[in-house]
Amino acid sequence: MPRTGTGKTVTKRLRAEGLVPGILFGPGDDHGELLQMPKEDVERLVRIYGLSGIGARVITLNYPDGARKEDVVAKQVIYDAINVNVENVNFMPCKPETEIKVKIPVRVEGEDACPGIKRGGFAWKLHRTLTVTCKGGEIPTEIVSNIAGMDVGDKVFLRDLNIPEGVTVHM
C-alpha cells in the first residue's frame, strides 16, 4: 500500500504494473502519505458507487500484513476521460465523529410515473451532486428527489428534498 517515489515516471510504471497511485492527506498535512493500490479494487468501487458516489462512502484502507487500517473518504478521483481508467485517488482520513465536507449524489426517481414527462416534458437536473457537511459516521449515500407527481414547469427546491438530520447543505 505505501509507495516511494513521485513524479511522472514512477506513476507511469505503477499504472503499467496494474496499480493506481494515491495520496492520503491528513489534517494540516501538505505533502500527504504516498499510496498505491490494485487497479481492480479502485475500479470495482467506482463501478459499484459511481464517480460521484465513491466520495460519499467511508472506505477502510487495509495496509499490507494487517499493520494498519485507516477509515478514509476519497476526496478526488482523477480518471482518463477517453478510456475511463482511474489515474489517481486522493484520500482524507474520516473518523465517525469528525465533521467532513463531501459531495453526495442526487438521484431522481419517479420519472416513469411523472405526468409532466408523459405530456412531453423532461426532467432537467441542475445539480447531480450536493456538497454537504456532516459527521463521518452519518454521511448519506445519496439524496433522493421523487418527481412522480410533478407536471410541466414544476420545480424541486432544496427545501423539498429529504435531507437527513445533522446534514448541512452548501450551495
Side-chain angles (χ1 to χ4, degrees), residues 13 39-40 78 87-88 97 105 119 132 159:
R13 181 185 48 80
K39 180 180 177 180
E40 303 85 37
I78 300 170
E87 298 281 319
N88 188 35
E97 67 281 349
R119 290 184 37 216
V132 302
R159 65 177 174 261

Side-chain angles (χ1 to χ4, degrees), residues 5-160:
T6 60
K8 192 186 321 182
T9 306
V10 173
T11 56
K12 277 185 176 183
R13 181 185 48 80
L14 286 173
R15 290 185 194 107
E17 294 173 2
L19 298 169
V20 175
I23 301 176
L24 173 62
F25 289 102
D29 186 6
D30 292 338
H31 301 291
E33 178 183 348
L34 300 176
L35 304 173
Q36 65 188 23
M37 58 220 82
K39 180 180 177 180
E40 303 85 37
D41 292 350
V42 177
E43 288 183 347
R44 184 181 45 208
L45 288 171
V46 172
R47 214 175 27 257
I48 293 170
Y49 302 121
L51 280 170
S52 59
I54 193 172
R57 302 274 198 278
V58 176
I59 302 166
T60 303
L61 291 180
N62 295 313
Y63 287 76
D65 303 327
R68 181 172 144 205
K69 289 185 176 183
E70 183 95 32
D71 288 336
V72 297
V73 173
K75 290 301 281 184
Q76 185 179 33
V77 179
I78 300 170
Y79 67 101
D80 184 346
I82 295 172
N83 54 21
V84 196
N85 287 330
V86 177
E87 298 281 319
N88 188 35
V89 184
N90 294 333
F91 296 103
M92 185 176 95
C94 181
K95 304 257 187 268
E97 67 281 349
T98 306
E99 286 279 323
I100 188 165
K101 189 176 191 178
V102 293
K103 290 185 179 181
I104 306 297
V106 176
R107 182 173 56 87
V108 177
E109 65 180 24
E111 290 180 271
D112 54 342
C114 180
I117 290 178
K118 288 180 180 178
R119 290 184 37 216
F122 62 94
W124 185 31
K125 299 161 190 111
L126 188 59
H127 295 284
R128 295 190 189 280
T129 60
L130 290 176
T131 303
V132 302
T133 302
C134 61
K135 294 197 181 288
E138 300 171 358
I139 299 173
T141 56
E142 64 184 3
I143 305 290
V144 178
S145 174
N146 190 336
I147 62 168
M150 299 185 78
D151 207 344
V152 174
D154 288 350
K155 299 175 181 142
V156 176
F157 294 98
L158 186 59
R159 65 177 174 261
D160 301 328

